[in-house]
Amino acid sequence: IERDENNDIPDYKFFCFDGKVKYLYTMVDYVDNHKNGRCSFFTPEFQQLPYRRSEYKEINRPIPKPEKFDEMIEIAEILSKDFPHVRVDLYNINGRIIFGELTFYNASGYTVFTPDEFDIILGKEFDLPEKLI
């Protein structure tokens, strides 16, 4: 995948619950050296939230809403509609949307969020159906 004008590969990770995007995160400055990566969570309206993965610093500069962002939301919701929860990863290189992967256990379920309250916020989004016998 080609890099953008900032020498990054913009990757957007959509946290979907029952086919609806509730949150997403993106990272910057991580392509060549993950230790330099910065991560922040956003709303589906692309408003930055005060949450991040603990192993990365917060994004400390304005991140513009990517081209065709509404189309990215639509794609994520279509791909996630049959699952109680899935993370849909999409790349966006100057408006060119590329599918990355579907992730059912973010960081194998061991993600530590900063602040910790975000773990509870995400957990409240789960609506697991009772098992049918």
Side-chain angles (χ1 to χ4, degrees), residues 92-103:
N92 187 322
I93 308 295
N94 300 318
R96 183 172 156 234
I97 301 167
I98 302 167
F99 173 76
E101 67 182 27
L102 298 178
T103 303

PDB file of all heavy atoms in Angstrom, residues 92-103:
ATOM      1  N   ASN A  92      -7.203   4.119   4.214  1.00  0.00           N
ATOM      2  CA  ASN A  92      -7.705   5.189   3.368  1.00  0.00           C
ATOM      3  C   ASN A  92      -6.508   6.006   2.890  1.00  0.00           C
ATOM      4  O   ASN A  92      -5.913   6.751   3.653  1.00  0.00           O
ATOM      5  CB  ASN A  92      -8.687   6.079   4.131  1.00  0.00           C
ATOM      6  CG  ASN A  92      -9.360   7.097   3.236  1.00  0.00           C
ATOM      7  OD1 ASN A  92      -8.745   7.648   2.330  1.00  0.00           O
ATOM      8  ND2 ASN A  92     -10.628   7.364   3.502  1.00  0.00           N
ATOM      9  N   ILE A  93      -6.161   5.824   1.632  1.00  0.00           N
ATOM     10  CA  ILE A  93      -5.058   6.563   1.025  1.00  0.00           C
ATOM     11  C   ILE A  93      -5.665   7.589   0.076  1.00  0.00           C
ATOM     12  O   ILE A  93      -6.100   7.253  -1.023  1.00  0.00           O
ATOM     13  CB  ILE A  93      -4.092   5.627   0.258  1.00  0.00           C
ATOM     14  CG1 ILE A  93      -3.630   4.461   1.124  1.00  0.00           C
ATOM     15  CG2 ILE A  93      -2.910   6.418  -0.310  1.00  0.00           C
ATOM     16  CD1 ILE A  93      -2.793   4.839   2.320  1.00  0.00           C
ATOM     17  N   ASN A  94      -5.743   8.827   0.563  1.00  0.00           N
ATOM     18  CA  ASN A  94      -6.284   9.926  -0.246  1.00  0.00           C
ATOM     19  C   ASN A  94      -7.634   9.582  -0.875  1.00  0.00           C
ATOM     20  O   ASN A  94      -7.867   9.836  -2.054  1.00  0.00           O
ATOM     21  CB  ASN A  94      -5.273  10.342  -1.318  1.00  0.00           C
ATOM     22  CG  ASN A  94      -3.978  10.810  -0.708  1.00  0.00           C
ATOM     23  OD1 ASN A  94      -3.977  11.536   0.289  1.00  0.00           O
ATOM     24  ND2 ASN A  94      -2.860  10.378  -1.266  1.00  0.00           N
ATOM     25  N   GLY A  95      -8.526   8.985  -0.074  1.00  0.00           N
ATOM     26  CA  GLY A  95      -9.868   8.669  -0.539  1.00  0.00           C
ATOM     27  C   GLY A  95     -10.013   7.283  -1.144  1.00  0.00           C
ATOM     28  O   GLY A  95     -11.124   6.863  -1.449  1.00  0.00           O
ATOM     29  N   ARG A  96      -8.925   6.570  -1.305  1.00  0.00           N
ATOM     30  CA  ARG A  96      -8.985   5.194  -1.817  1.00  0.00           C
ATOM     31  C   ARG A  96      -9.110   4.253  -0.617  1.00  0.00           C
ATOM     32  O   ARG A  96      -8.171   4.101   0.150  1.00  0.00           O
ATOM     33  CB  ARG A  96      -7.738   4.864  -2.630  1.00  0.00           C
ATOM     34  CG  ARG A  96      -7.768   3.494  -3.248  1.00  0.00           C
ATOM     35  CD  ARG A  96      -6.577   3.294  -4.202  1.00  0.00           C
ATOM     36  NE  ARG A  96      -6.333   1.875  -4.304  1.00  0.00           N
ATOM     37  CZ  ARG A  96      -5.170   1.290  -4.085  1.00  0.00           C
ATOM     38  NH1 ARG A  96      -4.117   2.013  -3.778  1.00  0.00           N
ATOM     39  NH2 ARG A  96      -5.033  -0.001  -4.200  1.00  0.00           N
ATOM     40  N   ILE A  97     -10.266   3.633  -0.466  1.00  0.00           N
ATOM     41  CA  ILE A  97     -10.549   2.772   0.679  1.00  0.00           C
ATOM     42  C   ILE A  97     -10.115   1.343   0.357  1.00  0.00           C
ATOM     43  O   ILE A  97     -10.480   0.800  -0.694  1.00  0.00           O
ATOM     44  CB  ILE A  97     -12.046   2.814   1.032  1.00  0.00           C
ATOM     45  CG1 ILE A  97     -12.472   4.253   1.355  1.00  0.00           C
ATOM     46  CG2 ILE A  97     -12.354   1.869   2.184  1.00  0.00           C
ATOM     47  CD1 ILE A  97     -13.966   4.457   1.401  1.00  0.00           C
ATOM     48  N   ILE A  98      -9.356   0.758   1.286  1.00  0.00           N
ATOM     49  CA  ILE A  98      -8.849  -0.603   1.109  1.00  0.00           C
ATOM     50  C   ILE A  98      -9.198  -1.401   2.356  1.00  0.00           C
ATOM     51  O   ILE A  98      -8.931  -0.959   3.483  1.00  0.00           O
ATOM     52  CB  ILE A  98      -7.320  -0.598   0.893  1.00  0.00           C
ATOM     53  CG1 ILE A  98      -6.962   0.262  -0.317  1.00  0.00           C
ATOM     54  CG2 ILE A  98      -6.787  -2.015   0.746  1.00  0.00           C
ATOM     55  CD1 ILE A  98      -5.479   0.579  -0.430  1.00  0.00           C
ATOM     56  N   PHE A  99      -9.777  -2.579   2.173  1.00  0.00           N
ATOM     57  CA  PHE A  99     -10.112  -3.456   3.289  1.00  0.00           C
ATOM     58  C   PHE A  99      -8.838  -4.011   3.912  1.00  0.00           C
ATOM     59  O   PHE A  99      -7.925  -4.438   3.218  1.00  0.00           O
ATOM     60  CB  PHE A  99     -11.000  -4.598   2.803  1.00  0.00           C
ATOM     61  CG  PHE A  99     -11.264  -5.646   3.850  1.00  0.00           C
ATOM     62  CD1 PHE A  99     -12.159  -5.395   4.875  1.00  0.00           C
ATOM     63  CD2 PHE A  99     -10.609  -6.859   3.811  1.00  0.00           C
ATOM     64  CE1 PHE A  99     -12.404  -6.355   5.848  1.00  0.00           C
ATOM     65  CE2 PHE A  99     -10.853  -7.831   4.774  1.00  0.00           C
ATOM     66  CZ  PHE A  99     -11.745  -7.578   5.797  1.00  0.00           C
ATOM     67  N   GLY A 100      -8.803  -4.021   5.249  1.00  0.00           N
ATOM     68  CA  GLY A 100      -7.677  -4.589   5.973  1.00  0.00           C
ATOM     69  C   GLY A 100      -8.022  -5.957   6.529  1.00  0.00           C
ATOM     70  O   GLY A 100      -7.537  -6.979   6.049  1.00  0.00           O
ATOM     71  N   GLU A 101      -8.889  -5.983   7.546  1.00  0.00           N
ATOM     72  CA  GLU A 101      -9.269  -7.250   8.165  1.00  0.00           C
ATOM     73  C   GLU A 101     -10.466  -7.062   9.074  1.00  0.00           C
ATOM     74  O   GLU A 101     -10.830  -5.934   9.414  1.00  0.00           O
ATOM     75  CB  GLU A 101      -8.107  -7.836   8.964  1.00  0.00           C
ATOM     76  CG  GLU A 101      -7.727  -7.017  10.189  1.00  0.00           C
ATOM     77  CD  GLU A 101      -6.544  -7.586  10.959  1.00  0.00           C
ATOM     78  OE1 GLU A 101      -5.696  -8.277  10.348  1.00  0.00           O
ATOM     79  OE2 GLU A 101      -6.469  -7.351  12.168  1.00  0.00           O
ATOM     80  N   LEU A 102     -11.041  -8.192   9.484  1.00  0.00           N
ATOM     81  CA  LEU A 102     -12.041  -8.223  10.544  1.00  0.00           C
ATOM     82  C   LEU A 102     -11.351  -8.801  11.769  1.00  0.00           C
ATOM     83  O   LEU A 102     -10.696  -9.848  11.675  1.00  0.00           O
ATOM     84  CB  LEU A 102     -13.234  -9.098  10.166  1.00  0.00           C
ATOM     85  CG  LEU A 102     -14.048  -8.675   8.950  1.00  0.00           C
ATOM     86  CD1 LEU A 102     -15.169  -9.683   8.688  1.00  0.00           C
ATOM     87  CD2 LEU A 102     -14.618  -7.282   9.132  1.00  0.00           C
ATOM     88  N   THR A 103     -11.494  -8.151  12.907  1.00  0.00           N
ATOM     89  CA  THR A 103     -10.836  -8.583  14.142  1.00  0.00           C
ATOM     90  C   THR A 103     -11.902  -8.791  15.206  1.00  0.00           C
ATOM     91  O   THR A 103     -12.640  -7.871  15.540  1.00  0.00           O
ATOM     92  CB  THR A 103      -9.820  -7.510  14.610  1.00  0.00           C
ATOM     93  OG1 THR A 103      -8.881  -7.286  13.564  1.00  0.00           O
ATOM     94  CG2 THR A 103      -9.095  -7.952  15.861  1.00  0.00           C
TER      95      THR A 103
END
